[in-house]
């Protein structure tokens, strides 16, 4: 093939791929390793909007954590939020804390919450604040 033929082929593939409906793009994207998602979202503005949207994260949550619907839901002061937050919390719980196959969303949310608080804080918190927050998160809600 000449380089002109290569360019025609690549243009044809790009045009074909660009015509896929969103639900098929999402099915493709959730099968790609998560580590590649940031790069994929930079290819096209439309793809970036899919990664910001709820549908992709809900599909990824269902695919990666099929039992997530049966897992403990976040009962504490942090709202459950969108599927993206749930996905990250479950990913953190299983990959950082290795919970022997048990999916525990509360552990993931606690980790994310404390990480966010420490990133936002310009000064170290008073000694009892984080301790009290952790106790409050794990005590049963009324």
């Amino acid at each position: 093939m000449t380089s002109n033929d290569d360019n025609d082929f690549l243009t044809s593939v790009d045009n074909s791929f660009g015509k896929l409906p969103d639900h098929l793009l999402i099915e493709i994207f959730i099968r790609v390793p998560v580590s590649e998602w940031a790069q994929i979202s930079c290819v096209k503005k439309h793809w970036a909007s899919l990664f910001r949207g709820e549908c992709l994260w809900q599909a990824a949550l269902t695919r990666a954590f099929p039992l997530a619907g049966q897992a403990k839901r976040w009962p504490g002061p942090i709202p459950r939020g969108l599927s993206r937050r749930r996905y990250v919390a479950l990913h953190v719980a299983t990959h950082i804390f290795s919970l022997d196959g048990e999916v525990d969303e509360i552990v993931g949310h606690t980790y994310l919450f404390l990480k966010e608080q420490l990133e936002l804080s310009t000064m170290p918190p008073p000694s009892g604040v984080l301790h009290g927050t952790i106790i409050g998160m794990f005590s049963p809600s009324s």
Side-chain angles (χ1 to χ4, degrees), residues 19 23 32 47 65 74 80 114 140:
K19 293 178 183 175
H23 71 279
V32 175
W47 293 4
F65 303 102
W74 181 251
R80 278 185 303 218
L114 295 176

Side-chain angles (χ1 to χ4, degrees), residues 74 78-80 85-86 89 105-113:
W74 181 251
I78 303 171
R80 278 185 303 218
R85 175 118 183 149
R86 289 198 68 204
E105 195 171 342
I106 294 174
V107 171
H109 274 293
T110 304
Y111 173 83
L112 292 174
F113 173 74

Side-chain angles (χ1 to χ4, degrees), residues 8-116:
D8 290 344
F9 175 75
L10 291 174
T11 302
S12 171
V13 168
D14 186 44
N15 287 338
S16 299
F17 199 69
K19 293 178 183 175
L20 289 175
D22 288 354
H23 71 279
L24 290 180
L25 288 172
I26 288 170
E27 285 299 318
I28 292 168
F29 294 154
I30 64 173
R31 286 166 170 74
V32 175
V34 175
S35 59
E36 305 293 323
W37 287 9
Q39 285 182 311
I40 293 170
S41 70
C42 294
V43 173
K44 290 185 166 193
K45 288 181 183 179
H46 177 70
W47 293 4
S49 71
L50 289 176
F51 279 92
R52 284 190 304 270
E54 180 72 5
C55 292
L56 182 131
W57 290 99
Q58 186 62 46
L61 185 64
T62 303
R63 179 172 167 79
F65 303 102
L67 300 177
Q70 301 168 5
K72 298 174 199 169
R73 290 273 181 127
W74 181 251
I78 303 171
R80 278 185 303 218
L82 301 176
S83 295
R84 182 176 189 162
R85 175 118 183 149
R86 289 198 68 204
Y87 182 90
V88 174
L90 290 165
H91 183 81
V92 162
T94 55
H95 293 90
I96 292 182
F97 296 106
S98 304
L99 295 172
D100 298 329
E102 179 184 330
V103 177
D104 193 338
E105 195 171 342
I106 294 174
V107 171
H109 274 293
T110 304
Y111 173 83
L112 292 174
F113 173 74
L114 295 176
K115 181 174 178 279
E116 289 164 3

